[in-house]
Amino acid sequence: MSEVDVLFAALRQAADPQAVECIEQVVMHGSDRDLNRINVFAFADTHHLDEEKTIAAFLHAARIGTFEMTWNVLCPGCGGVLETGANLKAVDRGTYHCALCAAGYEPTLDEMVEVTFTVSPRVRRIAAHEPDRLPPLEYYRQIFFSSGVDLPENLEASFARILLEMIELDPGEKAFVSLQLPAQFVIIFDAVTHSAQFIDVKGEPTDERQNLSMFISRDYAPNETLTLRPGLLRLTIENHTDRRVLPNVCIAGEQLHDLLGRRRPFLTAKRLLTNQSFRDIYRTDTLDIDQRLRITSLTFLFTDLRGSTALYERVGDLAAFDLVRAHFKVLHEIIATESGAVVKTIGDAVMATFSSPDRAVASALRMREAMLRLNAEHGREDLLLKIGIHEGPCLAVNLNDRQDYFGQTVNIASRVQGLADPYVILTTEAVVENAQVSEILRNNGIASVSRMEELQGVEREVKIFALS
């Protein structure tokens, strides 16, 4: 049995068989491009797979070495990859600058960090394992642009409409190019070093030759936009790096914006951090102790058992322990199947996260029904579950050797749960105003009643909604 056979045998033991079969087929028969920076959602859609099971399968594949997982910091404007690393610890800068968009961004885990998977060289060698040997446009497609940019199959034909020149320069090489500048905004951009020069071409056409020199180096510094006239340009470009560079000259108009504006869903860092399989597999290997990464919107669900101390007194330690353990098992299963993750348990309480409010509310409704069934099976109401939900911004941090969250959103969610009565789910306005949550409540015939509450540590009153 080959090493690859052994790896896939191990993967079949750990992940969904259907997902593993599809992954194995692509590894064996797919194109090189199919195996580089795989967009998990696009893969699941193509092969008609469950998204959560597909994410879990690729996570297990990365853990055993079949695939390499990469965390890519993206420009929200053009969708370019500004930096890439083997884990989230590589996202260590306060601001990332995109030369193509001439803009700086504070990284957030919502839409600015994607997670992709590339087949390991030990399983199969693909062209992207040696990116400097990729054809220029394939480098742009496979290395520079994120998996969320839905580039057309005929990228060459689409790009040809706006491309004035594509240049390939080895280390230390110099190129002299003559081209006709149209009366439009033009960009010279290199995807390897992220160097850029903007040219505003306007005014009366000229018959005189215009000259421009550009030096491509690792120490990129933003340049001022140059103004040139339509007509002949003699362009000199020098590669001052130790790698091949791929500068292109293109027209930055509507066609370029349309080409880069086609987007598709991708696996964000936020979505992965709220995935139970990821937390189970990678545990503390996520953030450095000093990292503080911002999430603009995350939904927190807190639960606790009311009267658990009295339960131990009433039925005895052993029976109470079995009941509480059964309750934890049910909650963990519900949270995982609703695309959430358990952050931690504190006594009889659970703290969980979801990437969107509707998944948290769906989870809470299922929890309530599950506790009613468990109590009915035991013939008495021993498990009285209190649930609170809130959504908002937070920081992803490393606390007590585990990936955790910090901020007022977390505090409010915890306080809301503290106000809850058994069988009544308490949420905040941010949750019930979500369109998908409204649909869930309407479809389940659930009414919401609001009231204002003062919460400890919160200066303003908070509107609370009881779902019953």
Side-chain angles (χ1 to χ4, degrees):
M1 182 178 286
S2 69
E3 182 184 11
V4 174
D5 292 332
V6 172
L7 289 172
F8 274 103
L11 186 57
R12 277 188 286 272
Q13 295 296 314
D16 177 67
Q18 186 180 0
V20 175
E21 181 182 354
C22 292
I23 293 171
E24 187 172 15
Q25 286 299 311
V26 174
V27 167
M28 298 304 174
H29 306 294
S31 68
D32 281 11
R33 187 193 294 171
D34 291 337
L35 292 166
N36 180 55
R37 287 191 182 169
I38 292 173
N39 179 320
V40 174
F41 294 152
F43 186 94
D45 183 62
T46 298
H47 298 279
H48 310 292
L49 299 171
D50 176 81
E51 284 185 355
E52 293 301 315
K53 291 178 180 179
T54 306
I55 293 171
F58 275 103
L59 288 172
H60 284 289
R63 196 58 166 175
I64 65 176
T66 309
F67 279 80
E68 296 172 346
M69 180 166 58
T70 53
W71 302 70
N72 308 316
V73 180
L74 311 181
C75 169
C78 66
V81 175
L82 306 180
E83 186 150 349
T84 186
N87 52 51
L88 197 50
K89 296 173 184 177
V91 185
D92 57 1
R93 282 193 271 156
T95 304
Y96 287 84
H97 188 272
C98 177
L100 185 56
C101 295
Y105 306 95
E106 177 187 354
T108 68
L109 301 185
D110 301 74
E111 297 294 334
M112 273 193 65
V113 181
E114 74 167 352
V115 183
T116 58
F117 297 85
T118 298
V119 70
S120 169
R122 64 193 285 202
V123 173
R124 175 177 156 181
R125 295 288 305 181
I126 60 172
H129 289 147
E130 297 181 84
D132 288 344
R133 300 181 66 179
L134 284 169
L137 279 182
E138 278 301 303
Y139 186 96
Y140 276 79
R141 179 197 289 275
Q142 295 192 45
I143 306 299
F144 179 73
F145 286 113
S146 81
S147 71
V149 180
D150 191 11
L151 295 172
E153 286 296 319
N154 62 337
L155 178 60
E156 292 77 7
S158 300
F159 202 46
R161 302 188 189 104
I162 58 173
L163 183 66
L164 301 178
E165 191 67 59
M166 176 69 79
I167 306 160
E168 187 173 351
L169 290 175
D170 288 328
E173 196 173 14
K174 179 191 295 188
F176 301 94
V177 179
S178 294
L179 51 91
Q180 285 289 329
L181 288 178
Q184 298 191 62
F185 200 85
V186 171
I187 298 177
I188 306 172
F189 178 72
D190 170 50
V192 179
T193 61
H194 296 196
S195 302
Q197 176 65 63
F198 300 108
I199 307 172
D200 190 5
V201 185
K202 59 185 180 181
E204 291 295 320
T206 179
D207 293 329
E208 296 182 3
R209 188 178 72 185
Q210 303 169 100
N211 296 288
L212 174 62
S213 294
M214 182 175 177
F215 304 97
I216 297 177
S217 68
R218 284 292 181 189
D219 301 321
Y220 163 75
N223 296 310
E224 291 186 3
T225 299
L226 299 176
T227 300
L228 296 177
R229 294 165 63 184
L232 182 64
L233 172 68
R234 180 177 172 83
L235 175 64
T236 304
I237 299 183
E238 293 185 44
N239 179 6
H240 289 186
T241 77
D242 58 357
R243 288 184 60 185
R244 178 194 68 163
V245 296
L246 301 169
N248 77 84
V249 187
C250 72
I251 299 168
E254 287 301 318
Q255 286 186 315
L256 177 62
H257 295 151
D258 291 343
L259 185 64
L260 303 185
R262 293 159 42 120
R263 301 300 169 92
R264 59 182 180 175
F266 60 88
L267 181 59
T268 64
K270 181 181 88 168
R271 175 71 181 269
L272 196 56
L273 293 181
T274 61
N275 177 275
Q276 191 63 54
S277 295
F278 175 77
R279 294 190 69 95
D280 291 343
I281 296 170
Y282 288 88
R283 299 186 183 277
T284 62
D285 188 25
T286 307
L287 296 168
D288 275 333
I289 191 68
D290 295 325
Q291 272 184 295
R292 308 286 187 269
L293 295 176
R294 191 163 64 91
I295 299 176
T296 57
S297 171
L298 194 64
T299 304
F300 291 88
L301 180 150
F302 281 83
T303 73
D304 198 6
L305 289 175
R306 191 177 80 174
S308 57
T309 302
L311 171 64
Y312 280 81
E313 288 286 342
R314 185 168 65 252
V315 303
D317 288 347
L318 186 59
F321 176 75
D322 287 341
L323 275 172
V324 172
R325 186 173 61 176
H327 131 274
F328 275 135
K329 183 175 184 293
V330 169
L331 297 193
H332 275 69
E333 289 174 351
I334 291 172
I335 290 165
T337 56
E338 291 294 344
S339 306
V342 174
V343 178
K344 58 188 173 185
T345 58
I346 311 161
D348 300 325
V350 170
M351 172 185 174
T353 56
F354 298 83
S355 59
S356 60
D358 58 310
R359 294 300 88 208
V361 171
S363 182
L365 294 174
R366 290 180 59 189
M367 289 174 180
R368 182 163 66 182
E369 292 300 317
M371 291 306 104
L372 288 171
R373 286 196 301 273
L374 275 177
N375 286 330
E377 290 171 6
H378 290 90
R380 53 194 298 171
E381 293 195 340
D382 288 323
L383 299 172
L384 301 175
L385 192 67
K386 302 165 58 182
I387 304 174
I389 307 172
H390 180 50
E391 176 270 337
C394 64
L395 295 176
V397 299
N398 188 325
L399 289 175
N400 301 319
D401 294 326
R402 71 153 67 93
Q403 193 264 306
D404 207 332
Y405 300 93
F406 179 83
Q408 191 71 313
T409 298
V410 183
N411 297 333
I412 291 174
S414 177
R415 300 283 188 269
V416 168
Q417 179 272 316
L419 297 174
D421 292 320
Y423 306 132
V424 177
I425 300 163
L426 290 189
T427 75
T428 59
E429 193 169 13
V431 174
V432 296
E433 285 187 341
N434 178 270
Q436 288 74 31
V437 169
S438 298
E439 184 177 356
I440 289 173
L441 299 182
R442 185 169 56 252
N443 292 341
N444 287 275
I446 295 172
S448 62
V449 178
S450 67
R451 66 179 189 267
M452 301 301 295
E453 288 281 358
E454 292 185 357
L455 303 180
Q456 182 182 351
V458 181
E459 293 182 358
R460 57 180 174 80
E461 282 192 323
V462 176
K463 183 179 281 190
I464 305 295
F465 289 78
L467 310 181
S468 56

